[in-house]
Amino acid sequence: MFVVATAGHVDHGKSTLVRALTGMEPDRWAEERRRGMTIDLGFAWTTLPSGGTVAFVDVPGHERFVPNMLAGVGPVPAALIVVAADEGWMPQSAEHLAALDALGVAYGLLAVTRADLADPRPATARARAEIAETSLGAVPAVAVSGLTGAGLPQLREALDRLAAQLPAPVVDDPVRLWVDRSFTVRGSGTVVTGTLGTGRLRVGDELELAGADEPVRVRGLHSLGEARPEAAAVARVAVNLRGTPRDRLGRGDALLTPGRFHHTDLVDVRLAGDPAADLPATLTLHVGSAAVPVRVRPLGPDTVRLRLARPLPLLVGDRALLRDPGRHHVSGGVRVLDVAPPPLGRRGAAAARAQVLAELDGRPDLAGELRRRRLIRTGALIRMGVPVHAEPVAGDWLADPAHWRRLGERLTEEVARHAREHPLEPGMPVDALRQRLALPDRVLVEALVRPPLRIHAGRVGAASANALPEPVALAVQRVRAEYGDRPFRAPEADRLVDLGLGPREIGAAVRAGALLRLADNVVLLPDALDDAVRVLAGLPQPFTLSAARQALDTTRRVAVPLLELLDRRGATRRLPDDARIVVT
Ligand SMILES: Nc1nc2c(ncn2[C@@H]2O[C@H](COP(=O)(O)OP(=O)(O)OP(=O)(O)O)[C@@H](O)[C@H]2O)c(=O)[nH]1
Ligand SMILES: [Mg+2]
């Protein structure tokens, strides 16, 4: 399907032409028909000579309804510009053309209507000259009469040729369906319509709706008046969202592929049109079918920051339009450069930001985003419209390679400093490192740890046993030498004192994994647990404390806390009669 929006001054014959081409009535409201004037968007479609379908979004020409016009053309890639032969180029001819230019519409056709009332050539020449100056460039022109039907066959041919020129829509891209109408259908509930510019919609799809916590579900889909299981871009679609109250959404809202759009009320943009310094402090931003008041803060000569009165789902590279409703003036198009820009708190931040923006062109650029943001989650970048083709450094975190290297160096320095300041501690706690390096997630700390550093018991330290202060390491070796062959005998309290193992030293050895503490002053070598389970598994099950004590060749002082520890770890289970079994 080929979707085209009309454009042109009031009463120049847009709706008459759409009616003549389609046999459908684009003016839907009784008031429109009574006043002979389009107020809101109209929709009609027909088959072209090639067999393809063209759908029209018919817009109002009256100056009061320019916002409605913009909601119609916003999501549509092609325009049918209508100029009356007897009136020629008029103010809303110019304002509509400026809007198409600002939005970067590149495909169009000129229809000079009411050719039965006046020679169409002067109006054609003027209009083509005006249009040639814009993003539309040189467009074909057809003189027509909606009254007599003259020129209509040629116009159909020209529409077919235009349709053939349009680039193929990207049906794999996410859906962002800007709603242009919403209404309720008895028995079906809420229905919204819009122009599907990219992507594909299917009955049953879940979609995101800004401000709604829950996804909304597509219950039914219509296109060109017929129910369909799916619709692919480009298409006019009506989406039934039964279960979503009608007042939850309306023109300017968007139905979105979940997780693919960043809702933002702050964007940095490049202007094409009036210079930043000439813009008033408040304007209206038009994008898709939305119109949102914005506060304008100039940054560079052609870059500004916009604070939106409500958040919109915008992506890097989006085109939008700024308009001054009071002056009926299209200030120009904007290209979105950044949908999550940094705050400008410090003095000089705005000037620095202007320099950064001067380098950006609105084309998503992964390496540049990483350089500027240093660390960011994959999902966050995708939601900004930046395709991600890089491996995360940890979890779903992406890092700028140079920044990541610097972080690795700083981590080593911090661990070394901590070791100097806390010689008895077996390394620096992961969370302290996370804070020190100002990292948002501990998986990043863990990923930065490289040999000879390692993580043990929540701390980052040197991998070797030398991590223990020498006297403690020596004492542990002595324990190993003395007790290695009777692993369930714990050194008595006075023996520990002799070995120089006080509470602090024992703590350090336990944190380093060199000793296992069962209770105060009851320590074993760390492999004792596995050995104990093996021995106990060889006993007839269930076994008593005393049987365990004998099998392990140890005392109650060790056996009681050892079995309790095994119970806590789930290696053994204590039965109601205090006997135990080994859990296999
Ligand atoms: N003689 C003649 N009259 C026409 C032709 N096209 C439109 N008209 C008349 O011009 C008037 C305005 O036509 P519309 O089609 O409503 O114009 P429009 O551009 O849709 O107007 P808005 O939607 O309000 O901007 C109507 O009275 C039409 O009958 C034409 O080709 N020849
Ligand atoms: Mg009309």
Side-chain angles (χ1 to χ4, degrees):
M1 187 191 316
F2 162 52
V3 183
V4 59
T6 60
H9 196 72
V10 64
D11 265 355
H12 276 201
K14 299 179 289 299
S15 302
T16 302
L17 191 56
V18 169
R19 204 176 294 124
L21 286 168
T22 66
M24 295 173 74
E25 177 53 67
D27 285 336
R28 297 173 286 123
W29 298 2
E31 186 190 354
E32 291 178 313
R33 296 207 277 275
R34 197 171 60 244
R35 292 169 65 179
M37 162 193 276
T38 306
I39 295 170
D40 201 1
L41 302 173
F43 307 95
W45 56 89
T46 188
T47 305
L48 290 170
S50 67
T53 308
V54 59
F56 293 96
V57 176
D58 183 38
V59 309
H62 194 280
E63 61 172 359
R64 273 184 46 208
F65 308 128
V66 171
N68 290 345
M69 179 271 178
L70 291 172
V73 299
V76 175
L80 173 63
I81 300 174
V82 172
V83 178
D86 57 329
E87 275 206 338
W89 197 250
M90 293 291 280
Q92 268 65 51
S93 314
E95 190 174 4
H96 286 195
L97 181 61
L100 296 174
D101 185 33
L103 294 170
V105 175
Y107 300 91
L109 195 55
L110 170 66
V112 178
T113 51
R114 304 176 31 146
D116 55 299
L117 296 180
D119 177 359
R121 282 171 299 185
T124 306
R126 169 77 191 274
R128 291 195 74 183
E130 297 281 351
I131 297 167
E133 298 298 308
T134 69
S135 57
L136 286 145
V139 295
V142 185
V144 295
S145 166
L147 198 72
T148 68
L152 289 184
Q154 289 83 347
L155 182 57
R156 288 180 205 277
E157 301 283 349
L159 283 165
D160 242 341
R161 283 193 295 276
L162 182 62
Q165 279 175 29
L166 285 185
V170 195
V171 288
D172 297 333
D173 269 9
V175 167
R176 176 172 48 178
L177 181 71
W178 292 102
V179 172
D180 49 35
R181 268 188 310 162
S182 68
F183 47 90
T184 21
V185 172
R186 192 185 297 264
S188 296
T190 302
V191 174
V192 299
T193 68
T195 303
L196 184 65
T198 56
R200 190 189 293 276
L201 278 176
R202 293 186 187 82
V203 173
D205 277 356
E206 287 199 336
L207 298 171
E208 200 174 278
L209 172 65
D213 302 332
E214 299 280 306
V216 298
R217 190 180 285 280
V218 177
R219 303 293 178 148
L221 210 51
H222 277 68
S223 190
L224 308 182
E226 278 177 34
R228 294 160 202 259
E230 73 166 65
V234 171
R236 285 294 307 168
V237 292
V239 184
N240 176 6
L241 301 170
R242 189 165 38 198
T244 307
R246 154 90 163 77
D247 58 6
R248 274 290 300 113
L249 76 184
R251 177 169 296 170
D253 286 322
L255 293 175
L256 309 165
T257 299
R260 297 301 298 270
F261 291 89
H262 179 66
H263 295 272
T264 179
D265 62 359
L266 194 68
V267 288
D268 287 351
V269 303
R270 163 146 308 117
L271 306 169
D274 298 347
D278 293 356
L279 293 183
T282 57
L283 284 170
T284 303
L285 180 76
H286 295 264
V287 57
S289 62
V292 174
V294 292
R295 294 197 64 80
V296 181
R297 171 166 183 184
L299 292 172
D302 65 348
T303 51
V304 294
R305 173 159 294 190
L306 303 176
R307 166 74 65 185
L308 282 56
R310 70 180 169 89
L312 290 178
L314 296 180
L315 300 177
V316 171
D318 273 343
R319 300 194 71 133
L321 173 158
L322 283 173
R323 179 170 180 267
D324 187 342
R327 289 194 300 147
H328 262 278
H329 173 68
V330 172
S331 306
V334 302
R335 182 95 185 210
V336 175
L337 302 178
D338 194 339
V339 294
L344 301 176
R346 292 177 295 109
R347 265 176 79 90
R353 183 65 185 161
Q355 278 191 353
V356 171
L357 294 178
E359 305 290 316
L360 304 184
D361 61 5
R363 265 180 302 196
D365 159 31
L366 177 64
E369 292 292 346
L370 291 180
R371 210 165 41 246
R372 286 187 295 280
R373 301 182 190 276
R374 301 213 218 161
L375 271 174
I376 185 163
R377 286 177 186 272
T378 306
L381 266 186
I382 289 174
R383 279 194 296 277
M384 294 178 192
V386 180
V388 172
H389 42 77
E391 282 300 310
V393 291
D396 62 349
W397 289 96
L398 297 166
D400 172 50
H403 181 60
W404 190 245
R405 259 195 313 281
R406 276 195 306 279
L407 281 172
E409 289 160 13
R410 284 192 48 210
L411 178 128
T412 312
E413 286 161 20
E414 290 294 341
V415 171
R417 200 180 50 81
H418 188 271
R420 282 194 304 277
E421 290 171 7
H422 308 273
L424 273 184
E425 283 186 26
M428 182 165 180
V430 170
D431 214 55
L433 263 172
R434 187 189 66 71
Q435 283 177 22
R436 202 71 200 181
L437 301 178
L439 291 174
D441 192 335
R442 52 185 287 148
V443 299
L444 292 167
V445 180
E446 287 159 13
L448 282 167
V449 174
R450 299 281 153 69
L453 294 184
R454 62 153 192 177
I455 302 185
H456 182 78
R459 290 169 177 261
V460 181
S464 68
N466 313 343
L468 276 177
E470 200 166 71
V472 183
L474 282 173
V476 170
Q477 267 178 32
R478 294 249 270 303
V479 173
R480 198 169 272 284
E482 284 176 35
Y483 294 88
D485 54 350
R486 25 184 201 146
F488 310 111
R489 290 298 179 91
E492 295 298 330
D494 48 359
R495 182 68 191 128
L496 288 175
V497 174
D498 288 349
L499 288 165
L501 289 172
R504 268 159 56 92
E505 287 76 13
I506 289 177
V510 167
R511 281 191 298 271
L515 286 179
L516 178 73
R517 186 190 348 234
L518 295 180
D520 276 350
N521 276 332
V522 185
V523 296
L524 294 181
L525 291 166
D527 7 335
L529 275 190
D530 288 344
D531 293 345
V533 174
R534 238 190 331 275
V535 171
L536 296 174
L539 289 177
Q541 308 285 315
F543 54 87
T544 60
L545 171 64
S546 133
R549 187 184 58 69
Q550 281 171 30
L552 296 171
D553 181 23
T554 187
T555 57
R556 281 184 65 88
R557 171 173 168 264
V558 171
V560 170
L562 176 60
L563 287 171
E564 282 168 358
L565 180 61
L566 290 175
D567 290 342
R568 281 200 298 282
R569 300 215 173 165
T572 53
R573 194 163 74 239
R574 187 172 183 163
L575 304 176
D577 63 355
D578 279 356
R580 282 183 170 82
I581 52 171
V582 171
V583 180
T584 49

